[in-house]
Amino acid sequence: MTRLIDSTACVCDAQLWLTTLEHMLQQVNGHSLGSDAQDRASLKRDLREFLGGEVPLHQLDDLTKVNPVTLETVLRCLQARYTEDIFYTNAGCTLVALNPFKHIPQLYAPELMQEYHAAPQPQKLKPHIFTVGEQTYRNVKSLMEPINQSIVVSGESGAGKTWTSRCLMKFYAVVAASPTSCENQTTAERIEQRILNSNPVMEAFGNACTLRNNNSSRFGKFIQLQLNRAQQMTGAAVQTYLLEKTRVACQASSERNFHIFYQICKGATEDERLQWYLPEGTAFSWLPNPESSLEEDGFEVTREAMLHLGIDTPAQNNIFKVLAGLLHLGNVHFVDSEDEAQPCPLMDGTKVSVRTSALLLQLPENMLLESMQIRTIKAGKQQQVFQKPCSRAECDTRRDCLAKLIYAKLFDWLVSVINSSICADSSSWTAFIGLLDVYGFESFPDNSLEQLCINYANEKLQQHFVAHYLRAQQEEYEAEGLEWSFVNYQDNQTCLDLLEGSPVSICSLINEECRLNRPSSAAQLQTRIESSLAGRPCLGRNKLSREPSFVVVHFAGPVRYHTAGLVEKNKDPVPPELTGLLQQSQDPLLRMLFPASPEEKAQEELCGQSRAPALTVVSKFKASLEQLLQVLHNTTPHYIRCIKPNSQSQPQTFLQEEVLNQLEACGLVETIHISAAGFPIRASLCSSGCPGTHSVDQAVSHQNFIERYKLLRRLRPRASSGLRGMGPARRSSGLSDNICFGGLCLQRGTRQLTLELLESGRAQMLEQCARCIQCGWRRHRLEKQEKQRRAAMLIQAAFRSWLTRKHIRRLHRAATVIKHAWHKWRIRMACLASKELDGMEEKPMPQAPGTLHSSLSPAHTRFLGAIVHLWPLGLVLANSADGVRGFQRKLVAHACLRLPSGSPSSKVQTPQQDQAGITSIRALPQGSIKFHCRKSPLQYADICPDPSASSVTGFNQILLERHRPV
């Protein structure tokens, strides 16, 4: 820390440079600057601003802008930003995240998520984990084939990895669940809720309070967020690694058990306490440090999350009852037996704990106690069975093994339930975004197999980062023949060779000790490691330690591992008596976790006869870690480095020494050096096409480069655009080494400008193509609408014509029916009238000398013709109460009866205007018809009138009148 830059010295150097530069300018110009005081003052002001005016450190969003790039300057910048409550800073391809150790709601608000999601270029916003999340999401939405993405969240224990992963999951659940229908919206909300609910469940059953973190993940997890072709989240899958199940029965000093045990004891209701035998104030050996913490208050949240994941209330009560049985099992203690042939007796007062644990686990009490006190041995070719009482230490070990076995199976079952609830069908998703949250680097006073595996995983991840970015980028620069000065970085390959190398390594020696048919000794294991791996640079020894141990110099610092109990933990033996005991349980959950199948028994017998070596913890963990790294190699990785400002988890506290150790361990300065000096084009050509130096480096092949920028050959540069080629004036100035591509002429020396010009030209070409597509689409849409309009008009005209023809046909049919009915009625009336008249022969009637036509006007003549044609209707009108009146009525009557109008001797008396009218043409006369004639009532009745245009036949039809009674 003594090399921190003194700001006063920087200002003095700036003043010196200012004076020297002024003197040089005077010599070049050949005259004094004092001749033009205004220009001199302006130049001096610009020089002072350039040389002496530093940008405040807290305003530097990227550590590549720090000058010079050293551990001290990077440390100062991070401290200045942390003081201003700015917790995220870019470091080339990596995002540095400082743990604030306090709740800041506005820093992770949904509005801020939408702001980063809707930004055209999120990398131009302030650094945030949402920037990395949005970039990975846009990479999946590539114009080319979707590329699986992964985010590696690394850092020490307590640096904030779990919180970062939780916020990223919330971000993807918000931005990747944008349905288009109500049904899709319901499905998306259900998936989002289930994915988010997996966090509190897994944290309750897999996290614990350690010396460095109150919410430390005691297992590793890789969460695979599955996206369909529309980039909508359809599901997720969780892969876990190496649960620290030994924490159930053994906790280090000042550490605690898993959160779920404390949540049960604090959050259970009175009825539940009675059911689970958890009275208030009960002390449990496996629940140390029962002081209140925030994690204990999440019992209702855990239960609600389990309910959303498909674990109903009865199943939850069954789980919590089993966990309560494990707590009571921890209170079972033994004392040394006076006779080695007799089992170890129980400690006073623990008989109740055995009975309560057996009751909660639904196991026979005597069998539970016997499985912990007596060991069954099979020996000889005949597999004879012997029973041997266990020592006190062995009884405690078998008790702890029973608890660890139940809890590990329960945790695996919960993970399977979560996956079955949130995992989508393989045919419904095409790409994924992976979130890797593993345990951070750990170094405690007492380190055993758990810390060795955890630090081994961190070494593998660090090596993946070194191989992917630091080493690969520099080797590619060398292969391409570029001028490049190599940056020294800390390569941890030697440490990995010590841990997993061939033919001899620490892991191989520990596994070999497990296969030997003899008891393992801690001192003997230490001797074998020191003798077999002597001379390895990363292997050390603590000579002051009295306990057998060895030291491994990791990338993050040296760690001392105790060899006592290391081999037993690696074997992880499960006595068959314990498995058989759990298979006899009457509890539904335990019977499901430990099914009694004959196939398993036969397999166990075969394994025992062949004496095949069982898989150790280190072997299984190494295999799962290799699968994880293979997945990471097949994805585009992004890195988030979490830094812990202090080990006391105090807000607004920045301890420089602790942060400096973390910066040295993760190789952050080397990363910044390579990112600052490297070619930003490689860092910017991500598959989403977003320029900028903040994205993770991804080598772009020549074929991909051509595929991305080949459309620039059709670009037509504008006269006023800055994308035109450089003119001869600039070529003559010595900058002739240019690259011409399509309509662009790019200078080789300005890499960032080259990238911006390429991206700008590509955006311009895409804009032109989009405009052409829009014009063509609009023209096609207008033509389609015009065709649809013409077709609609033709359809409407045809339909109206069809309706008109239908209406006319209907009227024609109606007229035909009326005509036929009218002819039928005429014929029937003629027949009836002929029957009622006398049988007198009709004789031709001479034309009357004087006719009615002669005395009428032309209008009356036409009216008379119409009446003659419609004589039945005329008769009706003439004799109805509502008919014609006066002269017209008489005229109608005369015309209908065909009476001579000029005959003075004939007179027809018509009924009065107030008569009731005609009743029936066939009815008998109700009154009298009086004809005042000299000769005959019907003078011309037997005479056929001459046919004429207005003549009718059948004048023998008479109208019978009804007179009003006197």
Side-chain angles (χ1 to χ4, degrees):
M1 300 308 297
T2 59
R3 294 182 296 172
L4 294 177
I5 297 177
D6 191 359
S7 59
T8 306
C10 293
V11 175
C12 294
D13 294 340
Q15 295 287 347
L16 179 60
W17 274 100
L18 177 62
T19 306
T20 306
L21 190 57
E22 284 186 6
H23 182 67
M24 293 175 59
L25 288 174
Q26 291 176 3
Q27 292 180 354
V28 171
N29 295 333
H31 59 83
S32 175
L33 294 177
S35 60
D36 192 349
Q38 184 176 0
D39 293 343
R40 183 175 183 274
S42 177
L43 176 60
K44 189 174 182 179
R45 183 172 60 253
D46 293 341
L47 291 174
R48 287 183 182 276
E49 182 179 355
F50 174 75
L51 296 175
E54 285 188 3
V55 178
L57 289 177
H58 69 274
Q59 295 182 6
L60 295 178
D61 293 338
D62 199 327
L63 295 177
T64 56
K65 300 177 183 179
V66 177
N67 190 19
V69 178
T70 62
L71 277 172
E72 290 76 12
T73 55
V74 170
L75 183 66
R76 286 179 54 203
C77 182
L78 293 177
Q79 185 175 7
R81 293 175 66 83
Y82 188 79
T83 306
E84 298 292 332
D85 283 347
I86 304 175
F87 307 106
Y88 296 105
T89 308
N90 291 318
C93 66
T94 306
L95 178 69
V96 178
L98 294 170
N99 194 341
F101 293 118
K102 60 181 180 180
H103 185 57
I104 308 175
Q106 66 275 10
L107 192 59
Y108 310 98
E111 296 79 12
L112 192 63
M113 297 181 187
Q114 294 295 339
E115 179 182 354
Y116 278 84
H117 179 58
Q121 293 182 345
Q123 67 274 6
K124 291 188 177 180
L125 299 177
K126 294 181 179 180
H128 203 284
I129 57 174
F130 297 157
T131 307
V132 181
E134 179 60 24
Q135 185 178 2
T136 57
Y137 183 67
R138 295 190 183 188
N139 283 4
V140 178
K141 296 176 62 176
S142 170
L143 296 178
M144 305 178 189
E145 292 186 1
I147 302 175
N148 296 328
Q149 307 291 311
S150 60
I151 301 178
V152 180
V153 184
S154 60
E156 289 191 3
S157 179
K161 301 184 301 298
T162 301
W163 175 260
T164 300
S165 302
R166 187 190 307 174
C167 293
L168 285 173
M169 289 182 62
K170 179 62 177 177
F171 175 79
Y172 288 122
V174 171
V175 303
S178 54
T180 56
S181 63
C182 295
E183 181 179 359
N184 292 338
Q185 182 177 4
T186 304
T187 305
E189 290 178 354
R190 177 177 56 84
I191 294 173
E192 172 189 353
Q193 189 66 30
R194 288 187 176 182
I195 292 176
L196 295 179
N197 284 329
S198 64
N199 269 333
V201 176
M202 300 192 70
E203 289 182 11
F205 284 85
N207 290 18
C209 177
T210 64
L211 293 175
R212 296 191 173 187
N213 186 8
N214 291 333
N215 189 30
S216 177
S217 298
R218 307 319 301 163
F219 70 103
K221 61 176 178 291
F222 182 74
I223 304 174
Q224 188 184 69
L225 303 178
Q226 302 159 349
L227 305 176
N228 58 10
R229 295 187 180 275
Q231 284 74 49
Q232 296 178 357
M233 191 159 50
T234 60
V238 180
Q239 177 68 36
T240 59
Y241 304 96
L242 191 65
L243 174 70
E244 191 186 14
K245 57 183 180 181
T246 57
R247 184 170 292 270
V248 176
C250 181
Q251 304 83 29
S253 177
S254 301
E255 293 192 357
R256 308 210 312 173
N257 209 326
F258 292 102
H259 295 328
I260 188 63
F261 292 105
Y262 297 92
Q263 291 180 0
I264 293 174
C265 295
K266 184 178 180 180
T269 62
E270 294 297 332
D271 295 338
E272 292 171 345
R273 290 180 183 277
L274 293 176
Q275 296 176 9
W276 304 335
Y277 297 94
L278 295 176
E280 293 186 5
T282 304
F284 295 99
S285 300
W286 288 351
L287 289 186
N289 305 312
E291 294 82 10
S292 177
S293 65
L294 294 177
E295 287 73 21
E296 295 182 4
D297 300 330
F299 187 57
E300 292 300 327
V301 177
T302 303
R303 302 198 68 165
E304 187 70 20
M306 295 175 68
L307 193 62
H308 284 289
L309 292 174
I311 305 176
D312 54 8
T313 303
Q316 293 180 21
N317 294 334
N318 196 0
I319 293 173
F320 301 144
K321 184 181 66 173
V322 171
L323 295 179
L326 296 184
L327 290 179
H328 287 281
L329 183 64
N331 286 348
V332 177
H333 301 287
F334 299 90
V335 295
D336 293 328
S337 176
E338 297 179 356
D339 186 2
E340 294 182 356
Q342 298 297 326
C344 295
L346 291 172
M347 186 180 293
D348 296 339
T350 61
K351 184 68 175 179
V352 179
S353 299
V354 175
R355 185 181 302 110
T356 305
S357 179
L359 182 62
L360 291 173
L361 299 177
Q362 296 191 20
L363 294 171
E365 181 181 350
N366 56 344
M367 293 184 62
L368 175 61
L369 188 59
E370 183 181 346
S371 64
M372 293 184 289
Q373 293 175 327
I374 300 176
R375 181 176 58 180
T376 303
I377 303 175
K378 294 182 180 180
K381 296 182 180 180
Q382 303 297 330
Q383 292 292 309
Q384 297 180 357
V385 179
F386 301 93
Q387 290 186 344
K388 179 183 178 181
C390 299
S391 63
R392 176 185 175 185
E394 291 177 343
C395 292
D396 293 340
T397 301
R398 295 170 75 88
R399 176 202 61 196
D400 297 346
C401 182
L402 180 62
K404 292 187 293 183
L405 179 62
I406 294 175
Y407 195 84
K409 285 284 187 178
L410 177 60
F411 185 80
D412 293 339
W413 177 77
L414 284 174
V415 173
S416 65
V417 170
I418 292 174
N419 284 330
S420 63
S421 176
I422 65 178
C423 188
D425 186 64
S426 59
S427 60
S428 63
W429 59 277
T430 58
F432 69 85
I433 299 176
L435 298 178
L436 179 59
D437 176 20
V438 295
Y439 6 61
F441 183 83
E442 293 183 351
S443 178
F444 299 119
D446 296 329
N447 301 285
S448 187
L449 183 67
E450 295 81 11
Q451 283 70 38
L452 180 62
C453 293
I454 289 173
N455 295 336
Y456 169 55
N458 282 270
E459 288 284 353
K460 294 289 287 186
L461 294 177
Q462 176 67 15
Q463 196 260 353
H464 173 266
F465 172 74
V466 169
H468 177 76
Y469 186 78
L470 301 179
R471 183 191 306 137
Q473 183 161 328
Q474 298 197 92
E475 290 178 354
E476 185 173 354
Y477 290 163
E478 182 183 14
E480 294 179 357
L482 301 177
E483 294 183 1
W484 176 260
S485 59
F486 277 78
V487 177
N488 294 325
Y489 57 87
Q490 183 181 359
D491 193 353
N492 64 334
Q493 187 60 45
T494 55
C495 183
L496 284 175
D497 293 338
L498 174 66
L499 293 174
E500 63 173 5
S502 178
V504 181
S505 63
I506 292 178
C507 293
S508 64
L509 291 176
I510 296 176
N511 288 334
E512 186 177 347
E513 281 289 327
C514 295
R515 300 188 188 101
L516 295 177
N517 191 14
R518 59 174 174 79
S520 177
S521 171
Q524 187 175 1
L525 178 60
Q526 177 190 0
T527 304
R528 287 198 62 188
I529 292 177
E530 291 178 353
S531 60
S532 302
L533 302 175
R536 296 293 180 93
C538 293
L539 180 65
R541 178 183 179 185
N542 188 0
K543 298 181 179 180
L544 300 179
S545 176
R546 296 182 180 178
E547 299 178 358
S549 63
F550 61 92
V551 178
V552 177
V553 182
H554 293 278
F555 74 97
V559 180
R560 183 169 62 98
Y561 300 98
H562 294 279
T563 57
L566 199 63
V567 176
E568 287 74 14
K569 289 184 178 180
N570 190 35
K571 288 180 179 179
D572 192 22
V574 178
E577 300 92 344
L578 301 183
T579 305
L581 172 67
L582 294 175
Q583 290 176 350
Q584 298 179 16
S585 173
Q586 300 300 319
D587 185 80
L589 179 61
L590 293 180
R591 295 184 64 179
M592 180 179 58
L593 297 179
F594 301 93
S597 58
E599 298 178 358
E600 293 182 357
K601 292 183 179 180
Q603 186 175 3
E604 291 178 0
E605 292 178 358
L606 291 176
C607 292
Q609 294 176 2
S610 62
R611 296 185 180 274
L615 286 177
T616 61
V617 173
V618 172
S619 300
K620 292 187 289 185
F621 181 71
K622 184 179 179 181
S624 61
L625 194 59
E626 290 295 335
Q627 295 178 357
L628 172 64
L629 291 175
Q630 187 64 33
V631 173
L632 294 180
H633 280 299
N634 295 331
T635 61
T636 301
H638 305 255
Y639 300 95
I640 298 179
R641 293 285 188 181
C642 297
I643 301 295
K644 183 170 56 175
N646 61 85
S647 58
Q648 292 78 26
S649 303
Q650 297 295 328
Q652 298 295 330
T653 303
F654 191 93
L655 300 181
Q656 294 183 352
E657 193 66 30
E658 294 185 7
V659 176
L660 189 62
N661 294 333
Q662 298 177 61
L663 296 180
E664 290 177 344
C666 65
L668 187 64
V669 176
E670 292 82 1
T671 304
I672 298 171
H673 271 298
I674 296 178
S675 300
F679 290 87
I681 294 177
R682 298 183 74 259
S684 301
L685 290 181
C686 61
S687 57
S688 62
C690 301
T693 60
H694 308 324
S695 60
V696 176
D697 170 70
Q698 178 183 355
V700 179
S701 64
H702 180 265
Q703 181 64 28
N704 291 340
F705 181 84
I706 294 299
E707 288 292 331
R708 182 169 182 81
Y709 295 111
K710 66 181 179 180
L711 51 84
L712 293 179
R713 291 177 293 184
R714 299 183 296 171
L715 181 63
R716 298 178 180 178
R718 302 175 182 174
S720 60
S721 175
L723 301 175
R724 298 288 303 265
M726 299 181 182
R730 300 198 62 176
R731 292 194 184 98
S732 62
S733 63
L735 300 177
S736 59
D737 191 8
N738 297 335
I739 303 173
C740 294
F741 190 82
L744 301 176
C745 189
L746 309 175
Q747 186 178 355
R748 194 183 295 269
T750 54
R751 291 189 302 267
Q752 187 63 28
L753 178 61
T754 299
L755 176 63
E756 292 178 358
L757 290 176
L758 284 173
E759 289 296 330
S760 178
R762 184 175 182 274
Q764 181 181 345
M765 190 61 219
L766 291 177
E767 183 182 357
Q768 293 178 5
C769 296
R771 189 179 294 109
C772 292
I773 295 174
Q774 289 176 357
C775 292
W777 168 250
R778 289 168 182 164
R779 181 171 59 252
H780 167 72
R781 187 175 60 181
L782 291 177
E783 292 176 355
K784 184 178 179 181
Q785 290 177 354
E786 182 64 23
K787 291 180 181 179
Q788 291 177 349
R789 189 180 65 85
R790 291 197 298 267
M793 292 175 60
L794 292 176
I795 293 173
Q796 290 176 1
F799 184 71
R800 289 173 182 152
S801 175
W802 176 78
L803 286 179
T804 303
R805 291 195 301 270
K806 180 180 178 181
H807 183 63
I808 291 175
R809 287 195 297 267
R810 183 178 179 185
L811 294 178
H812 180 72
R813 288 195 298 268
T816 303
V817 171
I818 294 173
K819 181 178 179 181
H820 289 171
W822 166 247
H823 286 304
K824 183 178 180 181
W825 181 80
R826 282 186 60 188
I827 294 172
R828 186 170 70 249
M829 291 300 103
C831 294
L832 293 176
S834 62
K835 291 180 181 179
E836 292 180 359
L837 297 177
D838 54 350
M840 185 186 301
E841 285 188 6
E842 294 184 1
K843 297 180 179 181
M845 183 178 64
Q847 182 69 30
T851 61
L852 185 62
H853 299 280
S854 59
S855 61
L856 298 177
S857 62
H860 289 174
T861 302
R862 290 193 298 271
F863 182 65
L864 180 62
I867 293 177
V868 171
H869 279 294
L870 302 174
W871 64 270
L873 182 61
L875 292 178
V876 173
L877 293 175
N879 293 274
S880 64
D882 298 330
V884 296
R885 302 291 187 268
F887 174 75
Q888 293 182 357
R889 181 169 182 171
K890 294 180 180 181
L891 183 62
V892 170
H894 282 290
C896 292
L897 295 177
R898 199 66 173 171
L899 298 177
S901 58
S903 176
S905 60
S906 62
K907 184 178 180 181
V908 180
Q909 183 178 355
T910 59
Q912 299 297 325
Q913 295 182 0
D914 56 350
Q915 293 178 350
I918 302 174
T919 57
S920 174
I921 194 171
R922 297 180 55 192
L924 296 177
Q926 299 296 327
S928 60
I929 300 177
K930 298 179 180 180
F931 293 92
H932 302 280
C933 301
R934 292 181 180 180
K935 293 181 180 181
S936 176
L938 298 175
Q939 183 176 0
Y940 304 103
D942 54 350
I943 300 176
C944 180
D946 296 333
S948 61
S950 61
S951 63
V952 296
T953 59
F955 272 88
N956 54 350
Q957 300 179 12
I958 62 174
L959 180 66
L960 303 178
E961 296 182 346
R962 183 182 64 181
H963 294 275
R964 178 183 299 176
V966 180

